[in-house]
């Protein structure tokens, strides 16, 4: 299949000290007609947000950024979100000596602990891809953020990690995976499945008004999570919070 060409993402770049949320700034840029690829990166966020309306505490030492996309057409947005997760995992590995896994839909884990998260939002007629990576955040600040199951690239690799190096790798991998998504998404699914730390494990899936427990059976062609209930029924989950039971898989 002929691939649609994607210009390297990350231009123009807006660098900020403190901001409420980089996703909000990117949304304003989108509404003002700024072209695809624009990047907003901040040292700190005072009102960073995560999936499902959760706050995302964003102190100094993290990579908090948003990229403006204007996808003309392509597979599902669910798959785009998975593509971003793959890009972040690859960027983490490129920037330091870690092995990164993915917990559905796009939590990036290192040694079973969350090191990065992804939040896609629609704003100003565009898709805003928000990425938060714990780069060199001290352990105490992490606990205030996303709980004891969080880590940073610095803690996980045992070495100082340069935020701009992570950003450069992220833009590189994001460009490549956005292009792969536009070409049909098959490669995205394959790459995501190779990093899946959820498949085969018991999981509790929380959705508004419903909590399900079962065994995660990986993702389907649209990027939905397949959950096998004790009755044998398989449910497709499009948006939820997933808690995986038992000890984290070693090595991811
Ligand atoms: C999650 O795992 O819940 C997603 C976290 C996404 C956080 C990033 S940080 C940059 C961008 N701005 C925000 O307010 N959120 C995203």
């Amino acid at each position: 299949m002929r691939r649609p060409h994607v210009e390297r993402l990350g231009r123009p770049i807006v660098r900020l000290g403190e901001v409420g949320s980089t996703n909000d700034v990117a949304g304003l840029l989108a509404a003002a007609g700024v072209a695809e690829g624009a990047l907003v990166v901040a040292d700190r966020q005072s009102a960073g947000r995560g999936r499902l309306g959760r706050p995302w505490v964003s102190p100094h030492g993290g990579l908090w950024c948003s990229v403006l996309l204007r996808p003309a057409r392509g597979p599902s947005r669910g798959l785009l979100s998975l593509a971003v997760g793959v890009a972040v995992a690859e960027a983490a590995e490129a920037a330091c000596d870690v092995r990164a896994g993915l917990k559905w839909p796009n939590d990036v884990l290192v040694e079973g602990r969350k090191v990065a998260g992804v939040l896609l939002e629609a704003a100003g007629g565009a898709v805003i891809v928000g990425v938060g990576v714990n780069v060199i955040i001290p352990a105490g600040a992490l606990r205030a953020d996303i709980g004891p199951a969080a880590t940073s690239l610095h803690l996980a690799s045992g070495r100082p990690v340069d935020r701009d190096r992570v950003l450069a790798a992220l833009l590189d991998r994001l460009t490549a995976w956005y292009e792969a998504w536009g070409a049909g998404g098959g490669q995205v699914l394959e790459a995501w499945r190779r990093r899946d730390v959820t498949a085969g494990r018991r999981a509790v899936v929380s959705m508004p008004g419903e909590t399900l427990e079962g065994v995660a059976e990986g993702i389907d062609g649209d990027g939905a999570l397949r959950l096998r209930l004790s009755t044998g029924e398989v449910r497709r989950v499009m948006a939820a919070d997933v808690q995986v039971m038992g000890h984290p898989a070693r090595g991811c």
Side-chain angles (χ1 to χ4, degrees):
M1 179 185 296
R2 191 170 167 275
R3 285 184 164 201
H5 175 68
V6 173
E7 291 296 325
R8 190 173 195 276
L9 302 172
R11 278 186 296 260
I13 178 165
V14 177
R15 283 189 185 269
L16 302 166
E18 181 164 327
V19 70
S21 162
T22 55
N23 268 26
D24 289 340
V25 178
L28 291 173
L29 295 179
V34 171
E36 172 164 279
L39 169 75
V40 180
V41 56
D43 293 337
R44 292 176 304 281
Q45 297 183 117
S46 57
R49 55 180 177 271
R51 289 180 60 242
L52 308 170
R54 295 199 184 106
W56 180 268
V57 177
S58 319
H60 199 274
L63 172 61
W64 321 125
C65 67
S66 303
V67 179
L68 191 167
L69 297 183
R70 296 190 183 278
R73 58 181 183 277
S76 73
R77 293 288 150 90
L79 267 191
L80 177 57
S81 148
L82 298 190
V84 177
V86 172
V88 179
E90 288 189 358
E93 291 183 354
C96 61
D97 188 19
V98 294
R99 167 91 186 114
L102 289 164
K103 176 167 91 69
W104 188 90
N106 48 28
D107 284 354
V108 181
L109 308 188
V110 175
E111 291 171 353
R113 292 172 184 267
K114 183 162 170 172
V115 75
V118 171
L119 176 67
L120 262 64
E121 294 179 319
V127 175
I128 307 302
V129 173
V131 176
V133 185
N134 300 326
V135 181
I136 45 170
I137 300 175
L142 281 172
R143 269 190 290 276
D145 180 6
I146 42 178
T151 191
S152 69
L153 293 178
H154 179 198
L155 288 171
S157 67
R159 294 193 191 138
V161 181
D162 181 49
R163 188 186 73 159
D164 282 344
R165 194 162 164 209
V166 182
L167 177 59
L170 175 63
L171 294 171
D172 181 61
R173 302 323 302 148
L174 205 50
T175 304
W177 283 109
Y178 182 40
E179 192 167 294
W181 172 80
Q187 278 186 301
V188 173
L189 286 168
E190 268 177 44
W192 199 95
R193 287 177 177 138
R194 278 198 297 273
R195 292 182 185 273
D196 185 358
V197 299
T198 320
R201 296 174 63 192
R202 290 204 71 76
V204 176
V205 173
S206 311
M207 295 167 281
E210 192 178 25
T211 298
L212 300 171
E213 192 171 334
V215 176
E217 288 195 338
I219 52 170
D220 71 11
D222 288 328
L225 176 70
R226 287 168 51 85
L227 186 75
R228 185 171 293 275
L229 309 183
S230 56
T231 58
E233 181 196 352
V234 175
R235 293 279 294 266
R236 291 179 73 244
V237 179
M238 294 303 293
D241 185 45
V242 175
Q243 269 183 288
V244 178
M245 314 301 280
H247 294 290
R250 290 200 68 80
C252 352

